[in-house]
Amino acid sequence: MDGVEQLMKASGRVVVAVILSMLMGGTLVAAPAEPNRTWESWDLFAPTVVQAPDGTIWAAWVANTGSEREIVTSRGDGNSWEPVEVAVANPGRWDDTPSLAFDAYGVPWLTWSSSTEGDDILHLSFWNGEEWSTLQAVPGAETIPNREPVLAPTPDGGLWLAWVGFDGNDSEIYAARWDGARWSEPQRVSGDDTDPAAYDAQPRLAVGADGSVWAAWTGHEGFLDDEIFASRWDRERWTPPQRVSGDDEEADEYPSLAVADDGSAWLAWDGLVPEAADEWRIHVSRWTPSEGWSEERIVSSPLDSAVADERPSLSLDSTGFPHVIWHLNGGSLGIGYSEFDGSDWSPPRWAVKDAVSDAV
């Protein structure tokens, strides 16, 4: 671990402690919404965080009360967080996997899945200026159970929604678009697998400034063989899925996706690497119209380091260059970090060291 610690020097160029400031070993730091309710005793997981146009930070996550799960939210200004509140009371149901997004008009939207005994459905709500709206109707009635919804805003004020739905045979990735008035009919994004065990999961969505829309997900190919796939919306339909990760019979999972202003797309994911003693490493690939998806590249810890790099989160800076952070586990816990400068990726380094969180 000494070599990695020397390589991954502290970096002050990226702020990744939003969740860490809220979650410290499963204990909520923010003040309780109601004095008589012990929010700190709840199990907290699945955080989603976005920045509003005015610079405030909005966060949503799952709070497990012991009898049910609720989606709770809070807002921060960089110095403090407002009291935690249940987004929309949903008694008797288990809510899970929230996703937050701001539309082009600055309105925050929140989606999540909700279940009772396997009938998972999707919920959607928006912030009306004072509170979260009553539950909005969303597509997906033909693909129940529906899970893992994700939102992405479009430049014209619309929204894209993707999720994992059941087609009667196996789990597939579906998507639909909100144009400001109605939802489109859902379309299947992933390939139509005939094997019931060939499920698709972990959908991600990203929309570029030019309206380019990409989806990425993890597809199960066989025993201990998951691969990363991607598809692009061509304004009428989703293009046939492309495998982005190498077909190496190893597990690849947890994609993170971003689309640049020039229409190029970036993908990061974690994958098992035999040369790294079958530990996880962070891989990246870039798509351009002229060359398609590039060969994957490892940007995290050296192969001879006894660490696991997991759960990447990729985003673009104001110049369009990608930055990726990940959870680093091995000897010391922490958040790893690398950036692309236009020609190459920087050596991996610490962004947050000795962090207690196990996810970014």
Side-chain angles (χ1 to χ4, degrees), residues 149-336:
V150 290
L151 281 172
T154 62
D156 61 1
L159 292 168
W160 276 96
L161 173 69
W163 67 93
V164 178
F166 186 67
D167 67 355
N169 179 65
D170 68 331
S171 295
E172 304 282 2
I173 307 301
Y174 292 87
R177 186 182 184 278
W178 167 259
D179 64 5
R182 62 184 61 85
W183 285 99
S184 67
E185 288 295 319
Q187 289 194 18
R188 189 181 64 244
V189 183
S190 55
D192 188 11
D193 301 311
T194 58
D195 183 356
Y199 59 83
D200 297 295
Q202 300 171 350
R204 303 291 185 266
L205 276 175
V207 181
D210 64 349
S212 300
V213 185
W214 279 91
W217 65 93
T218 300
H220 183 66
E221 296 282 276
F223 181 68
L224 296 181
D225 182 17
D226 294 334
E227 303 292 352
I228 304 301
F229 292 86
S231 176
R232 179 172 53 88
W233 176 252
D234 69 3
R235 311 287 178 173
E236 293 185 1
R237 62 186 60 84
W238 290 93
T239 59
Q242 293 180 282
R243 180 189 286 109
V244 182
S245 57
D247 190 12
D248 54 9
E249 305 301 317
E250 299 287 346
D252 297 282
E253 60 183 19
Y254 291 106
S256 184
L257 177 67
V259 179
D261 290 348
D262 63 3
S264 62
W266 289 89
L267 253 177
W269 67 92
D270 57 12
L272 285 174
V273 179
E275 296 82 0
D278 281 330
E279 284 290 4
W280 299 94
R281 291 293 183 269
I282 306 304
H283 301 68
V284 297
S285 179
R286 184 187 188 188
W287 181 90
T288 60
S290 59
E291 299 182 6
W293 287 103
S294 66
E295 184 176 353
E296 65 186 70
R297 174 176 175 179
I298 296 175
V299 297
S300 58
S301 304
L303 296 181
D304 59 357
S305 302
V307 298
D309 301 317
E310 304 169 308
R311 303 292 185 97
S313 179
L314 183 148
S315 61
L316 305 178
D317 64 21
S318 59
T319 64
F321 291 152
H323 299 238
V324 63
I325 63 174
W326 61 88
H327 174 243
L328 189 148
N329 185 4
S332 295
L333 297 176
I335 305 298

Side-chain angles (χ1 to χ4, degrees), residues 8-17 323 325 335-339 349-353:
M8 301 186 69
K9 296 180 180 178
S11 171
R13 299 183 58 189
V14 63
V15 178
V16 296
H323 299 238
I325 63 174
I335 305 298
Y337 171 64
S338 182
E339 63 180 311
R349 53 193 184 270
W350 292 107
V352 179
K353 192 173 180 180

